[in-house]
Amino acid sequence: MVLFTPAELGSLSLPNRFVRSATAERMATAAGRPLPALLDLYRQLVSGGVGLIITGHMYVDAGGKCHPEMTGIHEDDLIPDLAALVDGVHEVGGKVAVQINHGGMQCSRDTVAQTVAPSDINVEFLQQPARALTEEEIGETIRAFAQAAGRARLAGFDAVQLHGAHGYLINQFLSPYVNRRTDAWGGSLENRMRFLREVCRAVRVEVGEDYPVFIKLGLADSPDLEPGLSLEDGLAVVAACSDMKLDGVEVSGGIGGSRNLNSPTRIRRPDDEAYFRAWARAAREVSSDGAVALPIMLVGGLRSLPVMEDVLASGDADFISLCRPLICEPDLPARLRAGQERATCISGNRCWPVGVEEGIACKCRLPKQEVA
Ligand SMILES: Cc1cc2nc3c(=O)[nH]c(=O)nc-3n(C[C@H](O)[C@H](O)[C@H](O)COP(=O)(O)O)c2cc1C
């Protein structure tokens, strides 16, 4: 089985093809420091057979903190806490990449009083209107990404993943739905991509040539957003990834608007699974030039062993990335290896904490009989 074979991801050697996709664990203090429970969770994931953990998104700047209990990587002061987290994962033989993010217009009003975006925007699916970033603030935000990546390297993380999906700031710049700028940061695809290019350039200067840097990329926005990021443009961004010195792409969706584009519910049959698979196949096509192929991770609805194996065997992706199934069963890879055929997760989306009384951690809240 390809699933259980080792593979290279940039300069990282991984024991198998299972990636824990970034999952906002909500296990941090108000100052963004990781709580001990986060390390416990990561150790469970390692002993359960996950080849690479990608942390939940961490904020690069206080103005980009998406929600309460989010982990921070925005200040040097956090490096010792992050290093302790990484050391704890390495001690048990695991590998861990950190996802770095700025929420832009999607930050909760509980964490950011005035949200920012490429352009002024006020739409129903946002908690509050966002104002356009100034040219100077764009520069500061690029530096914030780079400094966060530098901290990641100092803390010992095995890699960095940029969050370029799900409607957060990098995705907002790429999307003509949000990015209505008429200066060098908006308009043509090349201009909308400038923010990502500059982030990649600044990150590379900070971490050096050999350090693995990936992106989780939303290849297209929800079709009901007019004019959203088109698949054609999303694929052009994938094609530019090698040029931007990125070492791999995790294929996902863009701005969902009021639709749940990225984590839809009720994935019950094999046909419902792997809902971004066609995009991964297209990403593979535009990013490989015969000898060199950019590693592709596929996320979204992967639930059963035969589907996962088929995705890899067909060459549509190199890695299987899982979020919700590992909230239910952190040891899912080991279970699949032992003969379990599919995840018990029914994608009910009761893993998002909805109120303080439910506790801060992200966990499966469905009654056990419903999960089974
Ligand atoms: C509770 C929860 C938290 C999530 N947090 C993040 C995150 O921090 N960063 C990210 O890129 N995606 C995040 N996602 C999206 C998942 O990584 C994944 O793309 C999506 O759920 C589809 O994969 P799945 O079907 O395996 O769950 C989150 C999803 C859920 C349900």
Side-chain angles (χ1 to χ4, degrees):
M1 278 217 163
V2 190
L3 265 172
F4 300 102
T5 58
E8 309 294 313
L9 182 49
S11 54
L12 261 187
S13 298
L14 301 180
N16 61 43
R17 311 304 180 99
F18 288 100
V19 174
R20 186 277 202 145
S21 200
T23 304
E25 300 93 357
R26 304 189 67 145
M27 294 181 186
T29 67
R33 291 185 198 285
L35 291 167
L38 189 59
L39 176 55
D40 295 343
L41 171 63
Y42 288 175
R43 285 183 180 239
Q44 274 182 49
L45 289 165
V46 175
S47 66
V50 166
L52 174 68
I53 296 171
I54 303 179
T55 68
H57 57 176
M58 295 192 190
Y59 56 103
V60 301
D61 181 89
K65 181 172 181 176
C66 303
H67 51 74
E69 299 102 27
M70 186 173 174
T71 314
I73 191 162
H74 61 303
E75 286 171 349
D76 290 351
D77 187 37
L78 292 161
I79 295 173
D81 299 81
L82 296 171
L85 183 67
V86 175
D87 289 348
V89 173
H90 287 168
E91 257 168 38
V92 292
K95 296 243 162 69
V96 56
V98 57
Q99 187 185 63
I100 61 174
N101 193 20
H102 188 297
M105 68 179 186
Q106 284 189 171
C107 293
S108 151
R109 62 164 83 84
D110 296 330
T111 44
V112 179
Q114 170 64 70
T115 50
V116 291
S119 311
D120 291 330
I121 178 159
N122 183 13
V123 281
E124 221 173 290
F125 63 81
L126 296 175
Q127 283 200 7
Q128 54 182 329
R131 70 156 177 83
L133 284 161
T134 63
E135 179 93 26
E136 195 184 344
E137 287 169 330
I138 292 177
E140 284 164 10
T141 309
I142 291 166
R143 275 192 295 284
F145 269 101
Q147 285 165 353
R151 285 179 203 112
R153 184 165 193 167
L154 281 175
F157 282 105
D158 297 291
V160 160
Q161 184 186 58
L162 305 174
H163 199 339
H166 309 176
Y168 295 107
L169 190 63
I170 291 177
N171 187 177
Q172 290 162 34
F173 267 96
L174 292 171
S175 170
Y177 183 77
V178 186
N179 185 350
R180 308 278 171 109
R181 296 180 78 99
T182 52
D183 59 8
W185 303 95
S188 66
L189 175 62
E190 200 45 50
N191 279 0
R192 283 181 276 123
M193 218 183 351
R194 191 177 308 277
F195 181 74
L196 174 59
R197 270 196 198 281
E198 290 301 315
V199 166
C200 291
R201 192 193 46 74
V203 163
R204 208 29 98 191
V205 168
E206 197 72 31
V207 299
E209 292 295 316
D210 298 334
Y211 191 69
V213 182
F214 315 122
I215 187 165
K216 185 166 183 175
L217 190 64
L219 262 61
D221 293 338
S222 171
D224 54 335
L225 299 183
E226 263 302 317
L229 178 69
S230 66
L231 182 59
E232 193 188 349
D233 281 1
L235 288 169
V237 179
V238 175
C241 279
S242 299
D243 191 39
M244 292 189 272
K245 298 191 178 169
L246 289 167
D247 300 294
V249 176
E250 184 175 1
V251 171
S252 191
I255 304 176
S258 45
R259 275 181 49 172
N260 195 336
L261 179 67
N262 296 299
S263 313
T265 54
R266 311 211 175 279
I267 300 159
R268 299 195 188 271
R269 296 167 305 116
D271 284 354
D272 305 326
E273 292 188 41
Y275 42 83
F276 293 128
R277 183 173 181 173
W279 293 4
R281 190 179 310 132
R284 151 96 340 123
E285 275 162 23
V286 298
S287 64
S288 52
D289 65 357
V292 188
L294 191 70
I296 305 281
M297 299 175 228
L298 174 62
V299 72
L302 288 140
R303 299 291 179 268
S304 62
L305 189 74
V307 172
M308 295 178 196
E309 185 61 18
D310 190 56
V311 165
L312 298 181
S314 66
D316 288 347
D318 305 293
F319 294 90
I320 295 298
S321 217
L322 305 164
C323 167
R324 290 168 288 176
L326 291 171
I327 296 174
C328 277
E329 296 166 291
D331 58 346
L332 182 62
R335 288 174 184 234
L336 295 174
R337 191 161 203 168
Q340 183 175 315
E341 191 158 308
R342 60 172 288 127
T344 53
C345 171
I346 59 161
S347 320
N349 284 4
R350 292 289 315 281
C351 32
W352 298 102
V354 289
V356 179
E357 69 283 359
E358 289 204 38
I360 60 174
C362 150
K363 61 182 180 209
C364 183
R365 290 174 174 77
L366 282 170
K368 276 289 161 263
Q369 65 277 18
E370 277 193 53
V371 173

